[in-house]
Amino acid sequence: MPEPSFPRAKWSIAALFCFLGFQYGTWVSRLPALKTRLDLGAGEVGLLLMACGAGAAASFPLVAVLMRRLGSRLLSLASAAALIVVLAALSAVPNYPLALLVVCADGVAVGCLNVAMNAQGAALEKAYDRTAMSQLHATFSAGLLAAALLASGVTTLTGSVPAHFAVAGALLLLLLGCARPGLLTHREPGARAADEPKRRARRGLPSGTTLLMGCAMAFGTVTEGAMNDWSTLYLKDVVKASASVAPLGIAVVSVMMLLARVCADRWRTRWGDGRVVRTGSAVAAAGLALALLAGGVVPTLLGFACVGLGAAAVTPCVYVAAAERGSDALALVAAMGTTGLLGGPALIGFVAGAASLTLGMATVAASALIVTLTAFRIPWRARVAALVES
């Protein structure tokens, strides 16, 4: 199969990122409705999210095998199709135990798609010698934004979760159809026979630098994921925002993250990855902390905007740094990122159940601060002039 042109491949891979953001944003934006329908407390919502994180964590040994056997293209398509099925199942689960099983399956599929689509993005940059990862991650934010706006619009017309998820499923099928034609036929590069024993021995021994990258990724995605999962409930239950305003917390974070990621490649070229990550995560931590202290709808939305702006460049920069250290490092960092994205918000739920949701959100600010501190220890790539495809 001939490889597509750079623009076609880029937008096909971008459709995968948008797909994941839209699917994820769709079901987390309806957590209040699911919480009410299944009669859940804050701790049970946290356990539900923990099941999703557990599924993601359990998927990574499977991902390594599937990446070698299928390649990132086929794995992307298969896991995306599974996520559409999971969304349909979640709209109809009759009880809490089945909901736990469904979101666990969601975590497995998300783990597979996250690794596969980022492998596609890394292969795109390498094959065409152009930067694109920040813009690809921008489309993930665009998917989250679209999901939040759809949820806000649907809830003004009907409270039916199945109707909402049916519309979302149709849009996901459309995105999958757009992604399929231009994906790269990327597989894990083969090793020389003499090197294979050494490669196998190193697979279980990640370097300290790789673990630092994984730590930054994990706490960065805790920050990002917790805002997606808990911003709606925080606005509704703590700030007392209306049902139509509450989903806009996700929208504000997503808008700022989208705008920042569109510009992030230029920031990286001008100031370097390390400075962008350190400054951004510090802005996220300070902005959210001040919003929690001030209270009120407007200060809260402004604080959420700081999180979107500051956290936007963390994951693209870390993915690029990890990709330079090889596919095993990329897979491990992606694994830790997905675990943070899906499992970290569960920790916020447990803190909220034991103390308060405000203290749980303060944990998010602390996570952003940890990213700042970790970023000082990561050997970021020296900046060079790079082409950024508009």
Side-chain angles (χ1 to χ4, degrees), residues 265-311:
D265 285 317
R266 294 180 179 89
W267 297 347
R268 293 166 56 206
T269 300
R270 183 171 182 178
W271 294 304
D273 290 11
R275 184 178 295 181
V276 168
V277 172
R278 291 191 296 268
T279 304
S281 53
V283 167
L288 182 56
L290 291 174
L292 296 177
L293 291 172
V297 173
V298 173
T300 297
L301 292 177
L302 289 174
F304 289 177
C306 288
V307 175
L309 174 66

Side-chain angles (χ1 to χ4, degrees), residues 29-30 32-34 36-37 91 151-165 243:
S29 67
R30 297 310 300 269
L34 294 171
T36 300
R37 178 161 64 87
S91 70
S152 183
V154 168
T155 53
T156 62
L157 300 175
T158 175
S160 172
V161 174
H164 176 195
F165 285 7

Side-chain angles (χ1 to χ4, degrees), residues 26-50:
T26 293
W27 78 266
V28 298
S29 67
R30 297 310 300 269
L31 271 176
L34 294 171
K35 179 175 180 283
T36 300
R37 178 161 64 87
L38 299 176
D39 192 24
L40 306 179
E44 289 171 313
V45 172
L47 184 59
L48 193 69
L49 296 171
M50 181 64 80

Side-chain angles (χ1 to χ4, degrees), residues 20-369:
L20 184 58
F22 188 83
Q23 194 272 353
Y24 181 55
T26 293
W27 78 266
V28 298
S29 67
R30 297 310 300 269
L31 271 176
L34 294 171
K35 179 175 180 283
T36 300
R37 178 161 64 87
L38 299 176
D39 192 24
L40 306 179
E44 289 171 313
V45 172
L47 184 59
L48 193 69
L49 296 171
M50 181 64 80
C52 194
S59 74
F60 299 127
L62 176 65
V63 171
V65 174
L66 293 178
M67 282 286 288
R68 289 192 291 271
R69 293 188 178 181
L70 301 179
S72 59
R73 181 179 187 274
L74 289 179
L75 182 57
S76 295
L77 296 173
S79 54
L83 284 171
I84 297 176
V85 175
V86 165
L87 190 65
L90 190 59
S91 70
V93 286
N95 54 56
Y96 184 56
L98 283 178
L100 288 171
L101 290 176
V102 170
V103 297
C104 184
D106 182 86
V108 171
V110 167
C112 291
L113 180 56
N114 183 54
V115 173
M117 73 185 189
N118 276 288
Q120 282 275 314
L124 177 72
E125 290 196 341
K126 183 175 181 180
Y128 296 94
D129 196 23
R130 298 188 181 189
T131 58
M133 191 68 87
S134 291
Q135 293 181 10
L136 293 176
H137 281 257
T139 60
F140 176 86
S141 301
L144 281 172
L145 171 60
L149 294 177
L150 178 65
S152 183
V154 168
T155 53
T156 62
L157 300 175
T158 175
S160 172
V161 174
H164 176 195
F165 285 7
V167 174
L171 294 174
L172 288 171
L173 281 172
L174 179 62
L175 280 171
L176 188 57
C178 292
R180 183 178 178 275
L183 295 180
L184 302 174
T185 54
H186 167 254
R187 286 180 175 271
E188 290 299 298
R192 294 179 303 171
D195 294 337
E196 186 60 24
K198 296 180 181 179
R199 283 172 54 87
R200 288 179 179 174
R202 288 197 302 264
R203 279 174 186 164
L205 298 172
S207 69
T209 299
T210 300
L211 291 176
L212 279 174
M213 293 177 182
C215 181
M217 179 69 78
F219 283 102
T221 54
V222 165
T223 304
E224 185 177 336
M227 297 308 297
N228 296 327
D229 288 338
W230 289 103
S231 61
T232 302
L233 285 173
Y234 181 80
L235 281 165
K236 180 176 180 292
D237 295 345
V238 178
V239 184
K240 306 302 180 184
S242 66
S244 60
V245 171
L248 295 181
I250 297 176
V252 167
V253 174
S254 300
V255 166
M256 294 306 297
M257 194 165 285
L258 173 61
L259 293 175
R261 282 177 171 169
V262 168
C263 302
D265 285 317
R266 294 180 179 89
W267 297 347
R268 293 166 56 206
T269 300
R270 183 171 182 178
W271 294 304
D273 290 11
R275 184 178 295 181
V276 168
V277 172
R278 291 191 296 268
T279 304
S281 53
V283 167
L288 182 56
L290 291 174
L292 296 177
L293 291 172
V297 173
V298 173
T300 297
L301 292 177
L302 289 174
F304 289 177
C306 288
V307 175
L309 174 66
V314 172
T315 52
C317 288
V318 179
Y319 274 123
V320 169
E324 290 190 343
R325 303 185 72 84
S327 58
D328 289 345
L330 177 61
L332 177 61
V333 168
M336 295 179 72
T338 304
T339 302
L341 184 69
L342 299 177
L347 174 63
I348 311 304
F350 293 136
V351 173
S356 68
L357 186 50
T358 301
L359 186 59
M361 295 297 283
T363 307
V364 180
S367 296
L369 182 59

